[in-house]
Amino acid sequence: MGVHKLLPAVGPRRGRRLGRILRAALSFRLWLSLLALLCLFSFALFGLKFITLVGRGGGMESGISSSHQLPITGNVKKNSKEVEQQQLQHSGFGGVVIKAPGSKKRIQHFPCEIGFTETVDYLIEPKDLGNFTQFSLQYAAMEEKPLGVNSFESRFGGHQKLEEREKSFYAHDQTLHCGFVKGPPGFPSTGFDFDEKDMAYMSTCRVAVSSCIFGSSDFLRRPTSKRISDFSKKNVCFVMFVDEQTLSKLASDGHVLDNRGFVGLWRVVVVRNLPYKDMRRTGKVPKFLSHRIFPSSRYSIWLDSKMRLNADPLLIIEYFLWRTRSEYAISNHYARHCVWEEVLQNKRLNKYNETAIDEQFNFYKSDGLRKFDPSDPNTPLPSCTCA
Ligand SMILES: *[C@@H]1O[C@H](CO)[C@@H](O)[C@H](O)[C@H]1NC(C)=O
Ligand SMILES: *[C@@H]1O[C@H](CO)[C@@H](O)[C@H](O)[C@H]1NC(C)=O
């Protein structure tokens, strides 16, 4: 535990910039309550399909307030934020094609342009990304069997009490349940196990792009290599989490791992002993807990497996986090903007037990979730209206 020092905010030289990103090792975690909330992935059985982008403890590491400005060389379009999610194309076909229910008419969603900086060469990580409360988090690593209880079952998510959950929403120093909870000695692994060499690799990552395919539910989409700078290829970890079933499917699809365990830019990491029977639920582990899986990471980008990474991760980070001094960015869905709609859609597509969906939805509502109001000028989810 300790406050680490950043290098002085200087010059556009590549070496310096590299240092600023790579030397910023995080030895402790400072999180907004929103992120703590995300740790409660076990409640999130379903969700909007999204790309998430998280800066870890951005700007809080030294407590220095600075008015350092980013040198933005790109062509910024005023409304480009409205169309952010489309840059990461939904499919390999140059756009999204969905069928309106009960009709033959197809609605097409094309990718929109985003005012990314042109190259990664002059990026500088800003010193103060925001103005967030400083606090540190610890994670429950192991749970003892309660005295006098016979039928104790250790669980990946642990046994968090509702009151503990409530408290975890507030930004203060605390120890919380955030997955990877082990049972007492003698109990079986609670799951999501990695090979040692993969763990060693992931512990080195400062910037991580990750995605997952479990249960052969999808095919592998490789990042668009020509859009990704050599710098990012060298310094960003691209990790695709799969289970063994998906691994053998990948091979039969012609995605053969090289001797370092890579398929193109993806380093394929096999997860053993999946903690949940439901693959969608297991997929929430890497999606929400990348800070546990990449413990030294400063930034991470989560990609839904339906997405192909079509832009340089550092340009994405600069655009969505640094430029706006944000700690977290989340893409809007191309069609649905509200949990209310998502609930209906999940039921319509029979994605999950309806009673369980309703229970969870009621839980969210009792937590204060309100319906998305597109006419609200402070709406946190601008919708994409590109033609
Ligand atoms: C940071 O927070 C302080 C105290 O809440 C406030 O006075 C200040 O204006 C904030 N600065 C920025 C840049 O938001
Ligand atoms: C659906 O969920 C409810 C509530 O969680 C549960 O009681 C019920 O057994 C589930 N039904 C099925 C078919 O899994």
Side-chain angles (χ1 to χ4, degrees):
M1 297 270 289
V3 177
H4 68 271
K5 297 269 194 304
L6 279 183
L7 293 175
V10 285
R13 276 188 34 230
R14 179 166 277 226
R16 294 286 180 87
R17 173 182 43 98
L18 180 146
R20 286 186 55 75
I21 293 168
L22 298 187
R23 284 185 224 175
L26 271 196
S27 50
F28 67 105
R29 298 270 170 244
L30 305 157
W31 288 84
L32 287 181
S33 53
L34 172 68
L35 297 182
L37 190 146
L38 284 179
C39 287
L40 300 160
F41 64 93
S42 55
F43 288 95
L45 300 177
F46 58 89
L48 299 171
K49 295 277 184 208
F50 63 101
I51 308 159
T52 52
L53 179 60
V54 184
R56 299 271 150 66
M60 294 173 287
E61 56 283 330
S62 56
I64 301 163
S65 68
S66 154
S67 57
H68 178 70
Q69 295 292 308
L70 280 171
I72 295 169
T73 56
N75 204 6
V76 185
K77 283 197 177 166
K78 277 214 176 87
N79 64 347
S80 51
K81 263 169 104 176
E82 294 178 8
V83 297
E84 62 199 40
Q85 82 284 8
Q86 298 294 346
Q87 178 67 22
L88 297 144
Q89 287 185 18
H90 183 263
S91 71
F93 309 109
V96 175
V97 182
I98 53 169
K99 233 173 166 176
S103 100
K104 291 222 169 92
K105 201 176 154 211
R106 279 161 185 270
I107 303 166
Q108 286 195 312
H109 297 263
F110 292 100
C112 305
E113 223 175 282
I114 300 185
F116 287 128
T117 302
E118 270 161 34
T119 101
V120 302
D121 287 347
Y122 304 100
L123 298 187
I124 300 175
E125 182 183 23
K127 237 177 168 177
D128 59 333
L129 279 175
N131 199 4
F132 307 111
T133 312
Q134 295 198 26
F135 62 101
S136 71
L137 291 183
Q138 311 272 323
Y139 306 111
M142 193 179 118
E143 277 183 340
E144 291 297 335
K145 182 173 155 184
L147 284 174
V149 172
N150 285 328
S151 60
F152 178 77
E153 186 200 352
S154 55
R155 296 200 296 231
F156 179 78
H159 296 77
Q160 189 188 42
K161 296 190 186 68
L162 270 180
E163 308 88 76
E164 291 172 330
R165 176 178 181 271
E166 290 295 319
K167 281 191 197 146
S168 74
F169 297 154
Y170 296 94
H172 58 86
D173 295 358
Q174 59 183 307
T175 299
L176 44 75
H177 286 75
C178 199
F180 299 96
V181 179
K182 290 190 172 54
F187 276 73
S189 159
T190 55
F192 223 84
D193 300 335
F194 299 117
D195 290 348
E196 295 276 325
K197 63 174 186 351
D198 290 327
M199 271 167 87
Y201 172 75
M202 293 187 292
S203 71
T204 65
C205 304
R206 296 284 187 255
V207 180
V209 173
S210 53
S211 183
C212 74
I213 306 174
F214 293 130
S216 299
S217 55
D218 215 330
F219 58 86
L220 185 79
R221 294 170 175 86
R222 303 190 192 192
T224 310
S225 183
K226 67 175 192 298
R227 300 251 178 119
I228 296 176
S229 62
D230 289 340
F231 180 81
S232 293
K233 284 175 185 165
K234 272 201 206 93
N235 294 290
V236 174
C237 297
F238 298 87
V239 173
M240 175 62 73
F241 297 101
V242 300
D243 56 350
E244 285 161 291
Q245 179 192 351
T246 308
L247 183 70
S248 38
K249 170 83 170 7
L250 288 186
S252 65
D253 286 351
H255 296 296
V256 180
L257 273 59
D258 67 17
N259 55 11
R260 299 174 311 140
F262 283 79
V263 170
L265 289 180
W266 287 124
R267 162 129 182 179
V268 176
V269 168
V270 180
V271 181
R272 292 173 216 279
N273 192 13
L274 300 185
Y276 305 108
K277 283 198 191 75
D278 188 304
M279 295 299 170
R280 277 190 293 269
R281 198 170 185 186
T282 297
K284 299 297 179 285
V285 175
K287 178 175 186 170
F288 291 162
L289 303 189
S290 62
H291 57 295
R292 309 280 339 253
I293 297 171
F294 302 101
S296 316
S297 67
R298 190 158 168 69
Y299 297 99
S300 71
I301 297 179
W302 173 259
L303 270 184
D304 193 279
S305 67
K306 291 271 179 291
M307 307 267 177
R308 182 190 304 284
L309 183 68
N310 207 14
D312 192 286
L314 288 178
L315 296 185
I316 296 174
I317 289 167
E318 187 278 325
Y319 184 85
F320 290 108
L321 298 186
W322 296 352
R323 208 181 289 189
T324 56
R325 297 279 198 274
S326 302
E327 212 186 7
Y328 185 90
I330 183 166
S331 82
N332 201 352
H333 191 273
Y334 55 86
R336 295 186 295 283
H337 311 297
C338 182
V339 177
W340 268 249
E341 295 168 21
E342 189 67 11
V343 164
L344 280 181
Q345 183 72 357
N346 276 285
K347 290 181 177 178
R348 222 179 264 143
L349 301 181
N350 243 326
K351 288 223 177 169
Y352 212 83
N353 173 344
E354 289 210 5
T355 319
I357 292 180
D358 282 332
E359 276 176 9
Q360 192 183 352
F361 187 36
N362 288 332
F363 207 90
Y364 287 162
K365 286 191 282 191
S366 71
D367 271 346
L369 181 72
R370 280 190 301 277
K371 211 165 172 170
F372 173 67
D373 175 7
S375 65
D376 179 352
N378 299 317
T379 179
L381 285 174
S383 50
C384 175
T385 50
C386 56

